Amino acid sequence: MEHKTNAVEVSFLKKTKWTGTTTRMLTFPVGELADRCLNAWLDITDESFSHATLPSTQLAERFSTLVESDADQAAWDEFYKAVGEEFSRLSVDELAAFFIDLNDPSTIVSVLWSDGEHEFVDSGCEYRY
């Protein structure tokens, strides 16, 4: 789903370096936000946190059912696909909030949006940084 935004890139500034990088700023195309959220969610190893950070109540209920059952890999793959589809339905602002929640929110201090020329504090690129 295409989300209305004038931003082409989003940057997340942390107090510490991003894992696997030498920088405190992580910048990527806005179009990658849904996939980045899904991948961050898939990297969670804590079952309770995984449950708490799902993008919908229905998915959280489905997750609980799968965890309590002896579901095969095909059932889990179908669930992961549904999680990805749900992330893709969210607005860029909702995705940015999820991305923060999934990536140590106490260390992320700022989100900046870029239209390719300037940085902004909002995804609509109305308020310049």
Side-chain angles (χ1 to χ4, degrees):
M1 168 183 262
E2 191 67 30
H3 303 289
K4 292 184 180 182
T5 180
N6 294 324
V8 295
E9 288 184 331
V10 60
S11 299
F12 296 87
L13 178 64
K14 286 182 86 168
K15 294 178 188 175
T16 59
K17 292 177 186 172
W18 283 91
T19 303
T21 74
T22 59
T23 181
R24 294 176 40 224
M25 181 82 75
L26 179 64
T27 301
F28 53 85
V30 170
E32 292 181 10
L33 261 170
D35 286 340
R36 296 270 186 148
C37 286
L38 175 61
N39 290 331
W41 184 84
L42 289 170
D43 285 342
I44 299 170
T45 56
D46 180 276
E47 191 176 293
S48 295
F49 187 62
S50 290
H51 181 270
T53 54
L54 281 161
S56 75
T57 305
Q58 294 84 359
L59 285 173
E61 291 169 0
R62 191 169 163 193
F63 179 79
S64 294
T65 301
L66 284 169
V67 168
E68 294 169 7
S69 73
D70 214 8
D72 63 9
Q73 187 60 48
W76 279 104
D77 289 344
E78 189 176 313
F79 175 74
Y80 298 146
K81 182 179 177 188
V83 174
E85 289 169 352
E86 186 63 28
F87 276 127
S88 71
R89 284 192 267 283
L90 300 177
S91 72
V92 293
D93 293 308
E94 291 170 313
L95 287 167
F98 262 104
F99 188 81
I100 291 168
D101 287 345
L102 295 167
N103 287 280
D104 197 6
S106 65
T107 65
I108 297 175
V109 295
S110 182
V111 178
L112 297 175
W113 304 85
S114 172
D115 65 0
E117 293 182 32
H118 306 285
E119 291 182 324
F120 300 84
V121 295
D122 65 301
S123 63
C125 296
E126 295 178 23
Y127 304 100
R128 280 185 66 178
Y129 175 71

